[in-house]
Amino acid sequence: MSKQGFTTDIVHGDRITGSEHGGVHQPIHTSVQYGFERVEDLIGVFQGTKKGGFNYARQGTPTTAALERKITRLEEGAGTICFSTGMAAITATFLTLLRAGDHLVSSRYVFGNTNSLFGTLRTLGVEVTTVDACDVENVKNAIRPNTRMVFVETIANPGTQIPDLQGIGDVCRERGIAYVVDNTITSPALFKPKAVGASLVINSLTKTIAGHGAALGGAVTDTGLFDWSAYPNIADDYRRSAAKEQGLLQIRKKGLRDMGAALSSEQAHTIAMGAETLALRVKQSSDNALALAQFLEGHAAIGKVFYPGLKSHPQYEVAQALFKGASWLLSFELLNAERMIEVVNALKLPIKATGLGDTRTLIIPVAPTIFFEAGAETRKAMGISDGMLRLSAGIEDIDDLIEDFSQALKLAA
Ligand SMILES: *Cc1c(COP(=O)(O)O)cnc(C)c1O
């Protein structure tokens, strides 16, 4: 059969890869231990010679393994490891693949907690340089002989900057540097980082992939493009495996088994159910975000609108060339910041909450919440004004959202 479409593949995936009793989706396996009739099989699981076996749930269960297969298919990767949160996936990736004395180059525009994690890496002796990665020259200039990894997000929150994803991929390939792309905001429904040469892809499953705001999870997917046999930080124990498997094997053993941030089967199941409608939700929420962005851009009470689907966005062309849509994330500035509280309180549909990629529209004032700790100076340097609002568009009917914003913005004059 020719290659199937994204949604066909995701809704039939469990059945095709096999499930018990003909179940149409994977059951929830709650066992922590997995026993064997023959002790040779237990030994084989420990030594990795018996493929696909389980021994202790911290390293995976049949349910988390099914979700891993699903994410691998979505990203067209070679393999995936799931974690209890997106941050756990990012932490495990950094701590297992970087060593003291190594250098990491990252986009300056990354998720706040990832940025905070860079501080921890520095205390452990890993040098971190952050640059404006929208221009590949800045990334090139930051690379040193000890640079092991480049890290970027596809669309940054809240400013919606898009790095030169393809240009950075080319530089990393030429220089043998691991290229890690956080695909959370776009999700594989809009973009597969493998297409620009990513080595590893991170997804916070909590956001778009689950979509319902009912479970936390994270994943790291190996695209199969990177030659781990040439990467200096793989431990001898894992050199015995095929070159392609070494990176993910080290992340599973050191990052999941030893650090222990395992995803539970119950959460894996909840995420897998949400994932079935990924492409449908992302289509609707991206359409809503674009319509809202266009409405807001023309509104007298609004200053700048940050949305990669608008021609006014600096990386509009990049988004058009690489993404199937400009995503559900948009930010905008209320010209009269003093009216912010009244305007936001007047909105009836958007939920005043942090969080991203939900079926419900969520709204949050940026400066007094997620960027409060950063301080006024950092906010100014990052282009975050006092009147900035971040919106995660949901799947509501667009007329209802526009009507709601129209009435609330009357208070902004
Ligand atoms: C939310 C988020 C994360 C962290 O995911 P959690 O599941 O909340 O730990 C990482 N990266 C990006 C871009 C995010 O938006």
Side-chain angles (χ1 to χ4, degrees):
M1 206 199 275
S2 67
K3 201 176 152 328
Q4 291 183 334
F6 189 89
T7 296
T8 309
D9 198 51
I10 203 170
V11 294
H12 288 282
D14 282 341
R15 194 171 58 85
I16 288 163
T17 51
S19 64
E20 294 160 45
H21 312 296
V24 294
H25 54 71
Q26 291 286 334
I28 304 173
H29 288 270
T30 57
S31 275
V32 173
Q33 288 90 355
Y34 292 82
F36 299 88
E37 287 303 317
R38 296 159 9 105
V39 75
E40 299 94 300
D41 289 335
L42 176 62
I43 292 167
V45 172
F46 263 83
Q47 296 188 359
T49 49
K50 185 176 162 59
K51 296 283 177 205
F54 301 91
N55 60 8
Y56 192 75
R58 185 169 6 91
Q59 289 185 66
T61 70
T63 315
T64 61
L67 180 61
E68 288 171 351
R69 285 197 298 275
K70 191 168 278 192
I71 308 296
T72 300
R73 288 165 79 105
L74 295 182
E75 289 288 2
E76 294 178 26
T80 296
I81 304 175
C82 285
F83 290 86
S84 56
T85 64
M87 283 318 300
I90 295 173
T91 302
T93 301
F94 289 157
L95 292 187
T96 59
L97 296 177
L98 296 170
R99 293 181 180 172
D102 286 347
H103 180 230
L104 167 73
V105 176
S106 171
S107 162
R108 174 182 300 161
Y109 308 111
V110 293
F111 186 58
N113 303 150
T114 302
N115 195 46
S116 172
L117 181 60
F118 292 156
T120 307
L121 291 181
R122 290 182 179 111
T123 67
L124 297 173
V126 176
E127 296 175 79
V128 183
T129 305
T130 60
V131 298
D132 181 350
C134 299
D135 182 351
V136 68
E137 289 305 314
N138 295 332
V139 175
K140 259 192 209 163
N141 292 338
I143 289 174
R144 308 176 196 160
N146 61 338
T147 304
R148 297 274 171 262
M149 186 182 284
V150 173
F151 179 86
V152 298
E153 293 177 4
T154 50
I155 301 179
N157 146 36
T160 72
Q161 297 91 344
I162 300 172
D164 182 351
L165 292 159
Q166 181 67 61
I168 298 168
D170 295 343
V171 170
C172 287
R173 194 187 55 245
E174 279 160 26
R175 315 224 181 157
I177 295 170
Y179 183 25
V180 182
V181 179
D182 184 335
N183 196 29
T184 298
I185 306 297
T186 27
S187 91
L190 295 181
F191 178 59
K192 295 179 173 77
K194 185 181 182 180
V196 294
S199 319
L200 297 171
V201 181
I202 306 274
N203 279 288
S204 164
L205 306 175
T206 316
K207 313 283 174 59
T208 337
I209 289 186
H212 37 47
L216 286 159
V220 50
T221 300
D222 190 325
T223 59
L225 297 179
F226 192 70
D227 179 12
W228 295 105
S229 67
Y231 193 74
N233 296 351
I234 301 293
D236 289 344
D237 281 349
Y238 311 131
R239 289 282 186 215
R240 288 193 287 273
S241 297
K244 282 201 163 152
E245 294 171 12
Q246 292 174 6
L248 220 51
L249 182 62
Q250 180 151 307
I251 297 173
R252 186 180 293 282
K253 296 291 186 181
K254 299 285 180 191
L256 186 61
R257 184 195 62 188
D258 297 359
M259 294 176 194
L263 181 67
S264 73
S265 289
E266 287 89 343
Q267 297 292 71
H269 178 78
T270 302
I271 292 164
M273 292 293 96
E276 295 195 347
T277 55
L278 174 62
L280 310 183
R281 286 182 283 105
V282 170
K283 168 94 178 67
Q284 174 86 359
S285 57
S286 300
D287 287 352
N288 283 354
L290 177 61
L292 275 171
Q294 287 166 341
F295 166 78
L296 292 166
E297 197 173 43
H299 198 288
I302 302 297
K304 273 198 199 125
V305 179
F306 304 88
Y307 186 66
L310 294 176
K311 291 210 170 89
S312 57
H313 190 280
Q315 289 92 40
Y316 171 78
E317 299 293 339
V318 179
Q320 291 291 311
L322 294 181
F323 305 155
K324 280 199 187 136
S327 99
W328 38 262
L329 174 70
L330 86 116
S331 295
F332 56 97
E333 292 176 337
L334 213 53
L335 285 173
N336 188 352
E338 282 162 21
R339 288 290 169 87
M340 172 130 79
I341 303 286
E342 279 169 271
V343 170
V344 177
N345 279 338
L347 287 166
K348 298 188 182 98
L349 282 176
I351 299 170
K352 299 152 202 76
T354 188
L356 297 163
D358 202 283
T359 47
R360 302 151 192 85
T361 297
L362 310 175
I363 193 161
I364 190 163
V366 177
T369 60
I370 49 176
F371 275 85
F372 183 67
E373 229 180 82
E377 216 165 289
T378 306
R379 285 199 295 273
K380 195 163 175 232
M382 290 191 72
I384 293 165
S385 67
D386 290 347
M388 190 182 212
L389 289 160
R390 181 188 80 188
L391 189 98
S392 170
I395 60 170
E396 297 93 340
D397 297 289
I398 187 60
D399 292 346
D400 296 330
L401 287 172
I402 301 267
E403 191 183 301
D404 196 20
F405 273 92
S406 302
Q407 63 83 20
L409 284 171
K410 290 201 178 105
L411 301 175

